[in-house]
């Protein structure tokens, strides 16, 4: 397992926010689903903050794990699942970890 893999599994299990760099911007997200979609490792997360040269909207985001840089698991805990709505939008080949 890679460091990012271990960090994502841990963050999801303990419901901790993560800070990551993706496409040139730093983001703070709630990691919800982590697995394989169409043969690619991906993270489905609810983005709470975005800062840097390429800000993006808050809300649900799908991240290709291979493009994630500098992931840090934060001490801040989030409530957990935001309901079944996020689970019906994505079909996963394999789910490694999911917030309950």
């Amino acid at each position: 397992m890679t460091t990012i893999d271990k960090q994502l599994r841990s963050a999801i299990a303990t419901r901790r926010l993560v800070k990551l760099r993706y496409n040139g911007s730093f983001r703070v997200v709630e990691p919800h689903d982590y697995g394989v979609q169409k043969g690619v490792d991906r993270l489905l997360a609810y983005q709470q903050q975005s800062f840097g040269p390429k800000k993006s909207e808050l809300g649900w985001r799908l991240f290709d794990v291979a493009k994630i840089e500098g992931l840090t698991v934060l001490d801040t805990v989030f409530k957990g699942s935001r309901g079944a709505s996020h689970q019906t939008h994505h079909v996963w080949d394999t789910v490694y970890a999911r917030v309950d």
Side-chain angles (χ1 to χ4, degrees), residues 7 12 28 59 78 96 98:
Q7 289 174 301
I12 290 170
V28 175
F78 63 96
Y96 300 139
R98 173 174 281 157

Side-chain angles (χ1 to χ4, degrees), residues 35-52:
V36 180
Q37 188 183 61
K38 298 180 183 179
V40 177
D41 283 353
R42 293 201 167 109
L43 170 68
L44 177 65
Y46 190 85
Q47 185 168 286
Q48 290 188 350
Q49 296 177 14
S50 174
F51 42 98

Side-chain angles (χ1 to χ4, degrees), residues 60-92:
W60 290 109
R61 295 284 171 265
L62 194 60
F63 300 97
D64 288 354
V65 174
K67 296 178 182 178
I68 293 174
E69 301 175 27
L71 188 137
T72 303
V73 178
L74 304 176
D75 290 334
T76 307
V77 176
F78 63 96
K79 290 182 182 180
S81 177
R82 288 182 171 255
S85 64
H86 75 280
Q87 295 172 8
T88 60
H89 293 285
H90 298 278
V91 176
W92 297 91

